[in-house]
Amino acid sequence: RTDSTYGYISSPFRWISALTPKSRSIKKEASFEAVPPQGYFSLEKDFSDKGQVLYTSPGRKAMIRIGVTDNYPKMGLPFWSAALDDDAANRLYKAASSSSVNGSGCAFAVRSFRTSGETWYAVAVAVRDDKVLVVEDVFDGEKNYAEHYPLFESFLKTLRWK
């Protein structure tokens, strides 16, 4: 690849190619229980009515969304983690962190990136049989990422996927 000929190659997996920090990526609602991050506002009613954000920090410096999609092709967490990494690289996102977090009854692969501009973006996925749970967090700038990302991981630890 040369810089003068590079073009974004979208993921062959529709739900991954739809991921974006700009708007709600996964529209199908997930059934779950969780403790919202400390100090965040719950927008559950708006979210269930097709709102964009489920939980937000004051000033919308960090915003969490959750959805579920089909596990197609039926693969495990290592496959979907690698697919997320490949897609982020194709988008020229800069990797910030890669981790595993155990929720309440499910394991998450978590990736965070600096996208274009000042936006930082974290995506956590868990797999169960024929479904993939997708949890996104969007951060307004590096300072907010540094402050709120630990709250995101703590939130994931409380999440119980029903």
Side-chain angles (χ1 to χ4, degrees):
R1 139 184 160 213
T2 65
D3 289 338
S4 62
T5 61
Y6 179 75
Y8 168 65
I9 302 167
S10 103
S11 173
F13 309 109
R14 186 179 304 164
W15 70 269
I16 291 178
S17 64
L19 291 174
T20 177
K22 296 178 182 176
S23 63
R24 186 173 177 179
S25 303
I26 309 295
K27 307 286 193 243
K28 188 171 181 185
E29 290 185 43
S31 179
F32 68 94
E33 290 177 355
V35 177
Q38 184 174 357
Y40 278 50
F41 300 110
S42 174
L43 304 174
E44 288 181 65
K45 184 175 186 292
D46 291 339
F47 193 73
S48 65
D49 291 332
K50 306 301 179 208
Q52 293 295 310
V53 177
L54 179 61
Y55 302 114
T56 184
S57 67
R60 297 176 80 88
K61 296 178 189 308
M63 299 172 285
I64 296 175
R65 307 183 288 247
I66 299 177
V68 68
T69 190
D70 292 332
N71 183 7
Y72 181 80
K74 194 169 185 177
M75 302 301 286
L77 197 53
F79 175 87
W80 292 120
S81 299
L84 283 172
D85 291 341
D86 289 346
D87 186 67
N90 283 335
R91 294 177 193 230
L92 301 180
Y93 288 175
K94 294 182 181 176
S97 70
S98 173
S99 64
S100 298
V101 174
N102 288 321
S104 183
C106 61
F108 289 98
V110 186
R111 302 293 187 267
S112 64
F113 314 96
R114 179 176 183 186
T115 67
S116 59
E118 291 300 312
T119 303
W120 291 65
Y121 185 44
V123 179
V125 295
V127 177
R128 180 187 300 147
D129 300 323
D130 61 346
K131 298 293 179 194
V132 177
L133 182 69
V134 182
V135 186
E136 304 166 272
D137 202 346
V138 180
F139 308 93
D140 182 20
E142 184 174 5
K143 178 183 173 203
N144 292 312
Y145 169 77
E147 180 182 343
H148 293 276
Y149 182 79
L151 298 173
F152 178 61
E153 283 201 346
S154 294
F155 166 74
L156 292 173
K157 291 175 184 176
T158 73
L159 199 146
R160 186 172 72 82
W161 184 11
K162 296 182 187 180

